[in-house]
């Protein structure tokens, strides 16, 4: 089991990328808040993990022409087609779907191979959030006052992509691992479900998917394409709320990328941190985290990408990382963000042969 893991920083100099909505506790109800969470007595703005995933999904559709799984709504639930053969986003982002009719209820679920954190501000709200006082005045009559929060900060996020799970679908009676149904368990009364299943089987045969009783495995070329494009999409990722008024480039300005056996992501720790209102890079912490799991680093390579204009003072620290890790026979490539992502995607491709 091997994971492609990463840590990213997004520069958000004047942004409101994921809003909580109107503050209902205020009598005039005209203040729109950003999302925040509390930690150690401080509050930090954040972008929810589902928002980041939504951006990622849309980028894959726009930049890599992924045909996204259609959405269906049933009462208060929304679900996708749950067809990982036909739709790559069902494969990479996972799903849960219940097929119901009367007393019949059969469910398929898939643990997402792509896992990600929220995007969390490195600066607490007291030193990053401000309130814009505005007035709506395009109508006749008195202007209507309103207020909305926005922030100036750097957002940190991390992800792990389970390379073994991409293009591999299990049929085990266990939550998260019953990715597909068996033909014999679909009741005759669920004609639409049976029809969907037959289409999935037909498509799988056309693509030469290896199908056994408990597992289906897509051809290596398809798995390679899906995994590498998921990584490459980071380079072009776009999205976020309030872009009309607070235009923000959400592509990463700093990335650290590597591959580890097992499910760990050592890059989630405090490699970057806030100190007296500034954002610092801890070279020793990064070196320590990599060496702590050196035996699981596979291949022995670390890719670091940084925009030239972002945190120029970190460049000397990055050289120290390279020197320290290369003494331990770990190759370190320090380059631009785009180049780091592309080279890392090639490493991901090589995993599939």
């Amino acid at each position: 089991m091997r994971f492609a893991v990463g840590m990213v920083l997004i520069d958000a100099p004047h942004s409101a990328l994921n809003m909580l909505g109107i503050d209902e506790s205020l009598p005039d109800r005209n203040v729109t808040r950003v999302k925040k969470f509390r930690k150690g007595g401080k509050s930090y703005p954040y972008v929810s993990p589902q928002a980041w995933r939504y951006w990622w999904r849309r980028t894959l559709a726009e930049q890599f022409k992924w045909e996204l799984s259609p959405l269906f709504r049933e009462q208060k639930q929304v679900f996708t087609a749950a067809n990982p053969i036909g739709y790559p986003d069902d494969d990479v982002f996972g799903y849960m779907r219940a097929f119901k009719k009367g007393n019949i209820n059969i469910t398929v679920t898939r643990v997402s191979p792509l896992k990600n954190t929220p995007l969390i501000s490195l600066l607490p709200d007291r030193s990053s959030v401000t309130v814009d006082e505005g007035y709506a005045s395009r109508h006749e009559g008195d202007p209507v006052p309103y207020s909305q929060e926005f922030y100036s900060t750097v957002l940190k996020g991390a992800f792990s992509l389970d390379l073994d799970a991409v293009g591999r679908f299990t049929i085990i009676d266990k939550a998260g691992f019953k990715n597909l149904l068996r033909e014999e368990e679909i009741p005759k009364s669920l004609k639409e479900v049976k029809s969907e299943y037959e289409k999935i089987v037909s498509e799988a045969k056309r693509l030469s998917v290896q199908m056994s009783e408990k597992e289906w495995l897509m051809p290596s070329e398809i798995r390679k394409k899906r995994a590498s494009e998921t990584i490459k999409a980071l380079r072009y990722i776009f999205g976020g709320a309030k872009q009309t008024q607070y235009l923000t480039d959400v592509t990463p300005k700093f990335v650290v990328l590597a591959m580890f056996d097992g499910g760990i992501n050592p890059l989630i720790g405090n490699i970057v941190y806030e100190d007296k209102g500034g954002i610092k890079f801890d070279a020793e912490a990064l070196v320590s985290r990599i060496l702590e799991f050196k035996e699981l680093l596979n291949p022995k390579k670390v890719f670091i990408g940084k925009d030239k204009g972002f945190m120029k003072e970190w460049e000397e620290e990055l050289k120290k990382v390279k020197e320290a890790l290369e003494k331990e026979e770990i190759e370190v490539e320090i380059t631009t963000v785009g180049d780091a992502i592309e080279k890392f995607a090639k490493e991901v491709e090589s995993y599939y042969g």
Side-chain angles (χ1 to χ4, degrees):
M1 188 165 63
R2 191 170 301 173
F3 283 71
V5 308
M7 185 273 282
V8 307
L9 298 183
I10 293 172
D11 189 18
H14 38 64
S15 312
L17 294 166
N18 192 208
M19 305 299 282
L20 180 64
I22 291 175
D23 188 342
E24 301 285 349
S25 67
L26 300 176
D28 49 7
R29 298 177 60 193
N30 68 349
V31 179
T32 305
R33 304 286 191 197
V34 298
K35 290 186 176 180
K36 301 168 199 166
F37 79 104
R38 292 191 64 79
K39 178 183 175 184
K42 298 178 182 177
S43 291
Y44 293 82
Y46 73 94
V47 172
S48 69
Q50 61 269 26
W52 194 21
R53 292 172 74 82
Y54 178 71
W55 305 349
W56 211 322
R57 222 172 185 135
R58 283 188 61 201
T59 303
L60 283 161
E62 292 287 335
Q63 297 293 331
F64 297 95
K65 308 305 177 191
W66 279 26
E67 183 181 358
L68 299 185
S69 185
L71 295 174
F72 303 94
R73 181 164 186 170
E74 189 173 277
Q75 297 177 343
K76 293 185 179 180
Q77 294 181 326
V78 176
F79 45 82
T80 69
N83 176 359
I85 301 295
Y87 300 107
D89 60 320
D90 272 349
D91 178 2
V92 172
F93 290 82
Y95 50 79
M96 181 174 74
R97 182 178 179 184
F99 299 96
K100 301 176 184 175
K101 189 170 184 179
N103 294 327
I104 300 170
N105 183 359
I106 50 178
T107 302
V108 290
T109 59
R110 174 166 173 76
V111 175
S112 171
L114 177 64
K115 300 161 179 62
N116 60 276
T117 66
L119 296 170
I120 298 174
S121 169
L122 288 165
L123 300 176
D125 68 341
R126 68 186 183 194
S127 53
S128 60
V129 174
T130 190
V131 180
D132 176 54
E133 307 284 352
Y135 291 88
S137 57
R138 296 180 63 188
H139 58 287
E140 292 186 3
D142 295 336
V144 177
Y146 66 93
S147 303
Q148 57 186 20
E149 291 182 333
F150 69 102
Y151 44 75
S152 177
T153 189
V154 172
L155 300 165
K156 184 179 81 169
F159 70 89
S160 293
L161 178 63
D162 184 345
L163 300 180
D164 281 315
V166 174
R168 183 189 298 273
F169 315 113
T170 53
I171 313 172
I172 300 171
D173 288 327
K174 182 180 175 183
F177 294 90
K178 190 169 184 176
N179 302 159
L180 297 165
L181 297 172
R182 292 189 177 88
E183 184 175 11
E184 61 271 18
E185 67 184 327
I186 304 173
K188 292 181 180 177
S189 59
L190 294 179
K191 291 181 181 177
E192 291 183 0
V193 179
K194 198 169 186 62
S195 176
E196 285 186 40
Y197 176 80
E198 288 170 351
K199 288 179 182 176
I200 292 174
V201 171
S202 175
E203 181 67 3
K205 289 179 178 175
R206 187 185 71 80
L207 294 173
S208 301
V209 174
Q210 297 175 33
M211 294 184 284
S212 63
E213 184 182 355
K214 292 189 175 181
E215 182 179 281
W216 291 14
L217 185 64
M218 299 197 82
S220 293
E221 285 303 311
I222 295 177
R223 301 175 71 202
K224 177 191 298 186
K225 183 174 186 295
R226 290 181 176 184
S228 67
E229 288 181 350
T230 300
I231 298 298
K232 289 177 183 176
L234 273 173
R235 184 177 182 182
Y236 307 107
I237 203 160
F238 69 96
K242 300 289 183 183
Q243 290 285 21
T244 303
Q245 295 166 300
Y246 299 99
L247 180 61
T248 301
D249 175 14
V250 298
T251 58
K253 298 298 181 292
F254 181 77
V255 295
V256 183
L257 305 162
M259 291 166 66
F260 287 89
D261 291 330
I264 63 166
N265 184 337
L267 308 177
I268 292 177
N270 293 326
I271 297 166
V272 289
Y273 62 98
E274 182 262 343
D275 181 37
K276 299 177 182 176
I279 296 173
K280 307 294 183 183
F281 171 74
D282 190 337
E284 291 184 3
L286 176 56
V287 170
S288 172
R289 295 297 291 167
I290 297 294
L291 294 181
E292 182 78 12
F293 299 99
K294 180 182 176 182
E295 75 278 11
L296 299 179
L297 181 68
N298 190 7
K300 298 285 187 281
K301 292 183 181 178
V302 176
F303 297 87
I304 299 175
K306 190 179 88 62
D307 266 19
K308 288 293 182 186
F310 181 73
M311 302 293 179
K312 292 181 179 179
E313 64 274 21
W314 290 5
E315 291 179 7
E316 287 303 315
E317 292 298 303
L318 291 174
K319 289 178 184 175
K320 293 178 185 175
V321 171
K322 184 177 175 67
E323 290 171 4
L325 291 180
E326 290 189 343
K327 283 181 182 174
E328 300 291 332
E329 299 182 341
I330 295 173
E331 184 181 338
V332 178
E333 179 132 13
I334 300 174
T335 179
T336 64
V337 171
D339 193 45
I341 290 172
E342 290 295 324
K343 288 177 175 173
F344 184 59
K346 288 191 180 301
E347 287 294 334
V348 167
E349 290 179 359
S350 67
Y351 175 69
Y352 296 98

